[in-house]
Structures are given as C-alpha cells and as structure tokens.
Amino acid sequence: MHFKIRPAKKEDCKEISRLIMELAVYEKMPDQVKIAHEELERDGFCENPFFQCLVAEVPEEHKSKEGFTVVGYALYFYTYSTWKGRSIFLEDLYVMPEFRGNGIGKGLLCKVAEVGKKKECVRLQLSVLDWNTPSRDFYAAKGAQDLTVSEGWHAIRFDGQSLDNLANEAAKI
C-alpha cells in the first residue's frame, strides 16, 4: 500500500486528536485524554513547540472505512541525558488497525530515528505498557532494549495534587 510520511501541520491537529483518542481506547485509558486539538495547535505550532509530530497519509483511493486519509502518527520531543547527551523521546506511535501490517508503523519509527540522528541525538526512548505485547515485540524486533529488564529503570510521574504540592513547596525554599 502506498503511503507518505510527512511533518504534521497545524491543520492536522483535529486528525491527530482523533488518533490520540483511538490510541487511548486501545490502551484502555480513554478517560485519561484531557486535551483537544486546540491544545495541540497551541503547544506544537508555536515559537518554541513542546512537541513535533509526523503523520502517515494514504491516497484518497485507500482512505479508511470512515473516510480518513491520515491513518497514523508519531509524536515526539527532545530530551537530554546527563550521561549521553541529546535524546529524542517518542511519546506516541499509532497506526489505525485497518492499516497495520503495511509498513506504516515501521516507516514512522524510522523517520523519527532519522530526525533524531539529524539532530545528533544518541538515543531514541519510549514507553510501552507491559501488556502491549505486539508493540513490545515490534520494538524488540527493531533492536530496542527493555530497560526495565536490563537496567531496572522504572517510570515515575508527579501529576495532579502531587505536582501542585511540589510546586507549592518551591515558594518555601
């Protein structure tokens, strides 16, 4: 199947928002999505964007059953390792189910890696849910290492009240 991968444009944010919700449903967490396309437009297409995104697009003759031509996306941003230097973090990689198995996911992943290499990043990092065996197998087949197993790293998060509490403590320091 013919497809192209291109940098997302501001006008793609409604489609990206739709795909984000599809991914959240797949990950069994649709209630966790709290942003809409307006936040994507604001945060990804400003003077200092918080993220960048690639979209996978098929020709009109191969559009989805629902009529969509944007069928996948990869959303990423840059991070920094004090041990290794420049890094790129892949927040989301998603391809609509009816388009899987056509190389679109691989294409998106490879393009993100290419972007990272052009920016002199030394690694590409991402997180995968423990039950998501198809994705874990996909990444492993491409050479990814599971750091939970090999190095014992755990993903840690502060949000909501715990983030507020930390930020409020700063005023007392």
Side-chain angles (χ1 to χ4, degrees):
M1 173 181 289
H2 179 71
F3 62 90
K4 75 175 178 181
I5 295 172
R6 61 171 175 78
K9 299 178 280 194
K10 191 174 188 176
E11 302 79 52
D12 294 316
C13 287
K14 285 185 181 176
E15 292 297 304
I16 296 165
S17 184
R18 171 185 58 82
L19 293 167
I20 288 170
M21 184 53 75
E22 286 186 27
L23 174 59
V25 168
Y26 174 75
E27 291 180 337
K28 302 173 180 81
M29 294 188 254
D31 58 316
Q32 298 295 312
V33 178
K34 303 298 182 196
I35 65 168
H37 71 276
E38 292 90 354
E39 286 87 0
L40 294 172
E41 291 172 4
R42 178 194 69 208
D43 296 340
F45 298 91
C46 56
E47 187 176 332
N48 294 303
F50 281 83
F51 69 87
Q52 294 184 8
C53 188
L54 301 172
V55 294
E57 192 169 37
V58 296
E60 190 69 28
E61 63 267 18
H62 295 297
K63 65 185 173 189
S64 73
K65 293 177 282 198
E66 300 87 4
F68 300 120
T69 58
V70 174
V71 300
Y73 76 104
L75 191 143
Y76 61 92
F77 52 88
Y78 298 101
T79 64
Y80 198 82
S81 165
T82 57
W83 292 358
K84 304 287 183 180
R86 296 176 182 184
S87 302
I88 192 167
F89 189 89
L90 180 59
E91 178 69 18
D92 288 350
L93 175 68
Y94 179 75
V95 176
M96 294 174 65
E98 68 185 275
F99 293 92
R100 294 178 189 161
N102 292 302
I104 296 172
K106 177 185 175 185
L108 286 164
L109 181 64
C110 290
K111 286 292 188 181
V112 171
E114 180 183 52
V115 167
K117 291 302 289 182
K118 285 180 179 175
K119 292 280 191 177
E120 299 179 22
C121 293
V122 295
R123 64 184 180 194
L124 165 61
Q125 292 197 186
L126 55 110
S127 299
V128 180
L129 290 165
D130 61 353
W131 60 262
N132 192 345
T133 306
S135 293
R136 290 174 54 202
D137 291 347
F138 169 74
Y139 295 126
K142 303 291 177 255
Q145 306 164 45
D146 184 340
L147 297 180
T148 306
V149 173
S150 65
E151 296 182 16
W153 290 99
H154 290 267
I156 306 296
R157 175 186 298 154
F158 291 97
D159 63 6
Q161 191 60 53
S162 61
L163 178 60
D164 291 347
N165 292 344
L166 279 174
N168 290 337
E169 287 293 317
K172 300 174 187 172
I173 298 173

